[in-house]
Amino acid sequence: MSGGLWQAAEAHALSERQVRQPGGQKRPPEGPGQIFHRLLRENVTVTENGRRRAMSKLELVFSQLINKAASGNEKNFKLFLEMMNRFPPEAATVRLDRDDQEFLQNFLRVAKEIDDKY
């Protein structure tokens, strides 16, 4: 290999090192929305029925909302109904018998009356 070619390659590598930043390109600062969603995706360890398991913070928030709504908290129940309407189950098909259908219709009627009241 001739000295000229070797020197040219070495000079090129040197110029590349000078252009590149040692730590790589810096990321732009995160906005509030990005921070919010990143934190919701973080996992936490919870104890349920004496067993530890990992879940996302978003899953934990929904779980607490549903539990409080089921315990009779009106504010959380109203929010729960709103979430049910906003996020219907994707491909869930459930066959209800006549009694269950009547119960569900009455339940939704009473929930709507409560919603209209507040």
Side-chain angles (χ1 to χ4, degrees):
M1 189 191 250
S2 73
L5 186 58
W6 179 257
Q7 288 173 347
E10 189 175 7
H12 176 72
L14 228 171
S15 66
E16 270 192 30
R17 273 185 264 149
Q18 290 170 348
V19 171
R20 294 184 186 160
Q21 296 177 354
Q25 187 173 357
K26 303 291 184 224
R27 289 186 183 183
E30 287 183 309
Q34 292 170 318
I35 294 169
F36 178 75
H37 287 282
R38 179 176 47 81
L39 292 174
L40 283 177
R41 285 190 307 270
E42 284 181 354
N43 282 338
V44 293
T45 303
V46 297
T47 304
E48 266 184 345
N49 300 325
R51 297 177 65 191
R52 293 170 52 104
R53 76 179 198 105
M55 63 172 43
S56 71
K57 288 181 181 177
L58 179 62
E59 188 177 357
L60 180 62
V61 168
F62 282 156
S63 178
Q64 289 176 346
L65 169 70
I66 292 168
N67 290 338
K68 288 179 181 179
S71 70
N73 184 306
E74 288 184 31
K75 182 178 162 184
N76 285 305
F77 185 73
K78 184 176 177 183
L79 183 57
F80 167 75
L81 290 177
E82 185 179 324
M83 299 296 278
M84 285 292 292
N85 287 329
R86 187 172 294 175
F87 305 110
E90 277 77 24
T93 56
V94 177
R95 296 185 187 264
L96 301 175
D97 62 21
R98 182 174 296 228
D99 292 336
D100 288 338
Q101 287 176 354
E102 288 177 19
F103 172 80
L104 188 56
Q105 287 173 347
N106 289 333
F107 175 80
L108 292 174
R109 180 181 49 77
V110 169
K112 183 171 180 359
E113 290 171 5
I114 291 172
D115 189 40
D116 292 341
K117 188 186 228 181
Y118 292 97

